[in-house]
Amino acid sequence: MGHADRRRTGRPPTAAALKKLVLRLAKENPRRCRRRIQGEPAGLGHPIAPSTVWEILHAAGIGPAPRRTGPSRREFLTTQAERIIAADFFHVHTITGRRLHAPAFLEHGILRLHITGITAHPTAQWATQQARNPTADLGARVASLRFVLRDRDSKYTDSFDAVFEAEDMDVLLSAPQAPHRNAHRERVIGTIRREVPGHLLSVNQARVPQVLTEHREHYTTHRPHRSRGQRPPEAQAQPAVLHDRVPRRLLCTRVLGGVINEYR
């Protein structure tokens, strides 16, 4: 209730109305102390004592501001999605049973996927080189990224982190044995495991990069994503809706030998 509302009604707000306002301010502004919360009603023409604000918050079980500062991890990842790139390593097997390792970097904001290399013997030096590859691929977009989200795998060393820190990014570590803390990364790796090695065994190491590149192209240029309104990462907007009734031919493109189909 502002000045205009008070002049119109001719009555000050009730205690219940002020209590409701204080609780709303505390909920919508969790980093504000009670002094700042007190200032909002005062600015609306309804001064309230700091002790009254404290009593209202205390009765509602809302602690002092230091206990309420900072967003939760989920809130942080949501609000900072456009500025986060997540890193992880996954593995695939050849038909001979050889285990190959590949790094995956996922831009949270638009879900653009980068798969930068593959090896049977991942070392710390190799991992550091893989960190350099996406920063080169990102080009000017690297300036818009602020955080690198990774787990505590031993392949991540100070040299790996230094590649991103040189681009003014902060490295965020997920908790041990907590894959849900990097859920976007886990989801894309799960997609790769289901759609690539689960249906297509590669004969040798030379074939695996071709398979992963083809899948990455599908993932970034055609695959619809619910979080992006059923748009692929590379799409700026949905195609125009066709309102006419002109019959059109549906074209199907087989990806990875028919493991995945694309329609146009």
Side-chain angles (χ1 to χ4, degrees):
M1 183 180 292
H3 290 290
D5 296 320
R6 185 175 61 172
R7 287 195 300 267
R8 184 174 61 252
T9 62
R11 298 188 302 272
T14 64
L18 279 177
K19 177 181 177 181
K20 183 177 180 180
L21 175 60
V22 168
L23 293 177
R24 175 180 174 179
L25 291 171
K27 180 180 179 181
E28 295 179 355
N29 305 277
R31 289 176 292 280
R32 291 189 181 183
C33 64
R34 66 173 185 265
R35 286 286 188 179
R36 289 195 64 196
I37 292 175
Q38 174 209 4
E40 289 292 342
L44 297 173
H46 307 307
I48 182 173
S51 59
T52 303
V53 173
W54 183 90
E55 290 174 359
I56 293 173
L57 297 180
H58 181 72
I62 301 176
R67 299 181 188 176
R68 297 185 283 119
T69 57
S72 67
R73 188 175 182 87
R74 173 176 290 185
E75 291 171 339
F76 173 81
L77 294 178
T78 299
T79 57
Q80 298 291 336
E82 297 290 339
R83 310 179 73 190
I84 294 175
I85 185 168
D88 200 4
F89 290 90
F90 67 98
H91 61 268
V92 296
H93 291 88
T94 67
I95 199 170
T96 61
R98 190 178 192 188
R99 187 172 185 173
L100 303 175
H101 302 259
F105 298 90
L106 182 71
E107 297 177 57
H108 272 208
I110 58 176
L111 301 181
R112 183 181 282 112
L113 176 64
H114 304 266
I115 300 176
T116 59
I118 192 162
T119 184
H121 305 287
T123 63
Q125 293 78 9
W126 176 82
T128 299
Q129 179 57 48
Q130 304 317 303
R132 297 188 183 102
N133 293 337
T135 57
D137 294 341
L138 287 165
R141 287 204 320 280
V142 73
S144 66
L145 297 174
R146 182 69 178 79
F147 304 99
V148 178
L149 184 60
R150 67 166 178 82
D151 58 26
R152 299 168 188 264
D153 192 302
S154 60
K155 289 189 287 295
Y156 300 117
T157 62
D158 291 342
S159 297
F160 180 96
D161 293 344
V163 173
F164 295 98
E165 290 168 351
E167 301 291 346
D168 293 327
M169 297 188 208
D170 292 334
V171 178
L172 307 178
L173 304 183
S174 57
Q177 299 180 350
H180 63 281
R181 291 298 185 93
N182 201 341
H184 288 292
R185 175 202 65 192
E186 293 296 328
R187 186 175 182 87
V188 70
I189 290 178
T191 298
I192 295 172
R193 286 174 173 163
R194 287 190 301 271
E195 296 184 348
V196 180
H199 300 276
L200 185 65
L201 287 174
S202 298
V203 176
N204 53 47
Q205 182 173 341
R207 171 62 177 152
V208 174
Q210 300 173 20
V211 170
L212 293 179
T213 298
E214 191 171 351
H215 184 271
R216 187 193 67 83
E217 288 297 315
H218 164 75
Y219 188 92
T220 57
T221 63
H222 188 89
R223 182 187 179 93
H225 295 270
R226 284 180 295 176
S227 63
R228 288 182 49 79
Q230 301 296 359
R231 291 178 296 156
E234 297 287 354
Q236 298 300 317
Q238 286 283 23
V241 177
L242 301 176
H243 296 286
D244 59 72
R245 297 189 178 184
V246 177
R248 288 176 170 81
R249 181 182 176 188
L250 182 65
L251 301 179
C252 175
T253 302
R254 295 165 65 84
V255 180
L256 296 174
V259 173
I260 301 171
N261 292 318
E262 295 180 353
Y263 297 94
R264 294 172 176 82

